[in-house]
Amino acid sequence: LSTDEIKEMDVAGMIIGSHGVNHNPFINLTLEESKREIEESFSFLNDLIQNNPVKTFCYPHGLPHTFRNTDIKFLESNQVDFSFAVESKDLTNSDILENPHSLPRYDCNEFNHGSAFNPKRR
């Protein structure tokens, strides 16, 4: 997304979430590097948008083995409301109450028009 597209989505009332800066799986980074990914991404987005502070996060690559409990603790300590992993299932109330920093979500590539590799988008 361009910065103008992000601003347009914000003005339209969409919830904008953070996703890291370089899209590296946190498991491949030191704790300090993953913290920097989180902080810089939130800082960039919160400086860019006006209407809704960014309070959600989606782990890069998102599979359970790609992030650590220390990453979750860091997000919690920074008042992030919810974090999403890639687990293709519907979200339940139980998920929200029991695992707010490992919520399931569908991968965009699972939808007909959601592929991140859509050649028409270039």
Side-chain angles (χ1 to χ4, degrees):
L1 293 173
S2 71
T3 55
D4 286 340
E5 290 169 327
I6 294 169
K7 289 176 183 179
E8 181 181 344
M9 292 168 63
D10 178 53
V11 168
M14 298 184 82
I15 296 170
I16 307 295
S18 176
H19 193 50
V21 176
N22 296 301
H23 204 262
N24 295 315
F26 286 177
I27 198 72
N28 294 341
L29 304 176
T30 67
L31 182 56
E32 288 305 313
E33 289 170 329
S34 64
K35 286 179 179 180
R36 193 167 38 254
E37 286 280 318
I38 293 167
E39 289 172 337
E40 289 179 11
S41 179
F42 274 96
S43 178
F44 170 79
L45 290 170
N46 282 316
D47 287 348
L48 183 66
I49 65 173
Q50 302 294 314
N51 295 315
N52 302 299
V54 179
K55 300 300 276 179
T56 61
F57 186 80
C58 191
Y59 301 100
H61 296 263
L63 297 171
H65 67 276
T66 64
F67 58 93
R68 304 162 291 229
N69 198 44
T70 52
D71 300 314
I72 292 172
K73 296 291 182 204
F74 185 71
L75 290 162
E76 288 174 338
S77 73
N78 283 277
Q79 289 78 47
V80 174
D81 292 335
F82 300 106
S83 304
F84 297 86
V86 176
E87 181 183 358
S88 296
K89 72 178 196 91
D90 291 344
L91 183 67
T92 66
N93 287 338
S94 175
D95 292 322
I96 294 169
L97 295 172
E98 296 172 20
N99 299 304
H101 289 286
S102 188
L103 295 172
R105 72 168 177 89
Y106 292 95
D107 187 293
C108 67
N109 294 307
E110 294 179 69
F111 301 100
N112 288 338
H113 302 287
S115 175
F117 306 104
N118 185 344
K120 293 179 184 176
R121 191 131 207 283
R122 295 190 188 262

